Amino acid sequence: MQLLFLSGVSMTIGPYPTIRFFTRPRNLKGSLCFFGGLVVVIIGWVIFGLLLEGYGFILLFRGFLPTVLMFLKRTPYLGRVLDLPGVKSVINKIAPAQLPV
């Protein structure tokens, strides 16, 4: 699955921009966690490896998360769930009501 993700990113933005994305200094911690998790999964510690990969994924794409949440807020059924009082307060901390354009 991780290899499919990497190949999908590479096919979407190209191989050289993919390498640049994963080797940027600000993405170094996320890249190390993601690829370290991949190695840990291969070694056989699947749960720990997936948690490490997930943390790395969040670190890599945290700048894109508010955009995704705003999109999900506009979907018919999931938008209603995200508008529930307890969920809405958490979502508004992550993605403010208005994103800069």
Side-chain angles (χ1 to χ4, degrees):
M1 178 120 162
Q2 296 81 2
L3 295 177
L4 292 174
F5 169 74
L6 292 174
S7 65
V9 170
S10 181
M11 292 180 75
T12 302
I13 64 174
Y16 295 115
T18 301
I19 292 170
R20 276 188 302 210
F21 175 76
F22 283 106
T23 57
R24 283 186 191 152
R26 72 174 190 208
N27 292 345
L28 186 61
K29 185 176 179 182
S31 297
L32 288 175
C33 286
F34 184 78
F35 290 114
L38 180 64
V39 169
V40 171
V41 167
I42 291 171
I43 290 172
W45 293 1
V46 178
I47 300 296
F48 181 69
L50 289 175
L51 290 173
L52 193 59
E53 282 180 6
Y55 179 67
F57 185 83
I58 290 171
L59 289 178
L60 286 170
F61 295 102
R62 66 179 167 225
F64 189 62
L65 187 61
T67 305
V68 171
L69 288 175
M70 291 302 292
F71 171 77
L72 292 175
K73 278 184 171 181
R74 288 176 171 71
T75 58
Y77 297 105
L78 192 56
R80 291 180 189 160
V81 173
L82 294 177
D83 279 337
L84 293 173
V87 178
K88 188 174 185 175
S89 63
V90 173
I91 297 295
N92 285 337
K93 289 179 184 176
I94 297 171
Q98 296 293 328
L99 288 175
V101 178

